Amino acid sequence: MDLAIRNATIVDGTGSPRYSGDVGVMDGRIVEIGKVGGRAREEIDAHGAVVSPGFIDCHTHYDAQVCWDPMLSPSVYHGVTTVLAGNCGFTLAPLSGRKEDFDYLIGMLSTVEGMPIASLEAAVKAEWQGFGEMLDHLDGKSAINMAFMVGHCAIRRAVMGERAVGEEASEADLAAMDALLRKSLGEGGMGFSTSTSVSHNDHLGNPVPSRFASEEELLTFCRAVRDYPGTWLEIVPGVGPFDEKDYERLT
């Protein structure tokens, strides 16, 4: 074995009771669980510690933090090995290439997720435009597995510019946004995220762009996701008790 983790309390994720044992690793893969014989190139005595599969955190906002914290330390400290970012419609791609649009997304993110604007401005640079370009930029820079959804606010801002706040999309806007979402999903986006919640306002005190979307706009993007098997939908419908309109929309 390349690695043997000895005397661990093993919780294997199957629902079975925890048990004591070893875990053997060869060529980066777990190949033996229970009693690992012989000596491995590396031995770890895990007595008193739990060894388990990594946890998946399906709701994070690491889109910016990964630029200055490649360890994604809050997750690593808690045994998380895979994170899904780009939730609630707040992402840093796709971009239009216009500085004012990038500045808006950074300012919005600082407010809705409580991130210091100075940290964002210092660490996050608009070195990409398309969604795939962002993924390429971040590839290999994170200590754990990351996947990103495509955020509604970024899509709206990229296509509609300043009109993303305050206006419903025209037919031309909707067609362009639908095409941009599909392109982003094809480049590796793991789904579509949005928010209709009254709790989400930007740094200027206005509702975030996704809150100006019509029902047809939301459903158009859901149809796009349907055409890409294995992708996700994530929506923040509001705070407090949901009403019948929320239930109908989610259904």
Side-chain angles (χ1 to χ4, degrees):
M1 299 289 173
D2 296 324
L3 169 66
I5 304 173
R6 308 273 187 192
N7 307 313
T9 298
I10 297 174
V11 179
D12 63 15
T14 65
S16 300
R18 61 183 62 198
Y19 58 94
S20 297
D22 308 332
V23 176
V25 178
M26 177 69 76
D27 296 329
R29 300 182 68 86
I30 294 172
V31 295
E32 198 166 333
I33 301 176
K35 183 63 177 176
V36 176
R39 297 292 295 177
R41 291 187 180 90
E42 181 181 0
E43 299 264 342
I44 297 175
D45 185 353
H47 178 73
V50 170
V51 173
S52 74
F55 293 94
I56 300 171
D57 189 342
C58 64
H59 193 128
T60 77
H61 288 280
Y62 281 134
D63 305 68
Q65 184 167 331
V66 68
C67 295
W68 69 78
D69 177 20
M71 287 299 293
L72 300 180
S73 46
S75 289
V76 171
Y77 293 160
H78 290 86
V80 173
T81 55
T82 297
V83 296
L84 187 62
N87 286 279
C88 306
F90 309 135
T91 59
L92 296 174
L95 301 175
S96 66
R98 299 182 293 266
K99 183 178 184 301
E100 60 269 26
D101 292 338
F102 179 74
D103 290 345
Y104 173 84
L105 294 178
I106 290 291
M108 179 187 67
L109 196 62
S110 74
T111 296
V112 296
E113 296 304 330
M115 300 178 183
I117 186 65
S119 298
L120 293 171
E121 291 175 343
V124 184
K125 307 301 180 183
E127 297 175 335
W128 58 81
Q129 187 166 330
F131 203 86
E133 292 173 345
M134 182 196 73
L135 296 180
D136 289 342
H137 177 80
L138 297 175
D139 190 34
K141 296 182 179 179
S142 168
I144 60 177
N145 304 310
M146 296 190 76
F148 294 83
M149 285 187 291
V150 187
H152 194 170
C153 291
I155 291 174
R156 260 191 155 246
R157 184 75 195 199
V159 170
M160 298 178 64
E162 292 185 355
R163 294 188 299 110
V165 171
E167 293 187 20
E168 285 195 4
S170 67
E171 288 187 14
D173 292 331
L174 188 54
M177 289 191 290
D178 182 48
L180 183 56
L181 173 58
R182 290 173 181 273
K183 180 175 184 291
S184 299
L185 294 172
E187 291 173 349
M190 284 302 296
F192 170 72
S193 71
T194 188
S195 172
T196 59
S197 175
V198 296
S199 64
H200 283 149
N201 295 307
D202 64 21
H203 54 299
L204 303 175
N206 301 313
V208 296
S210 61
R211 290 179 56 193
F212 292 96
S214 65
E215 202 76 4
E216 179 56 29
E217 181 175 327
L218 289 173
L219 294 177
T220 295
F221 295 150
C222 291
R223 294 185 190 104
V225 173
R226 176 190 60 190
D227 294 337
Y228 291 83
T231 50
W232 295 47
L233 275 174
E234 187 261 354
I235 182 171
V236 183
V239 292
F242 298 158
D243 59 26
E244 286 304 314
K245 184 178 180 180
D246 291 322
Y247 287 123
E248 183 177 343
R249 175 184 292 129
L250 293 173
T251 301

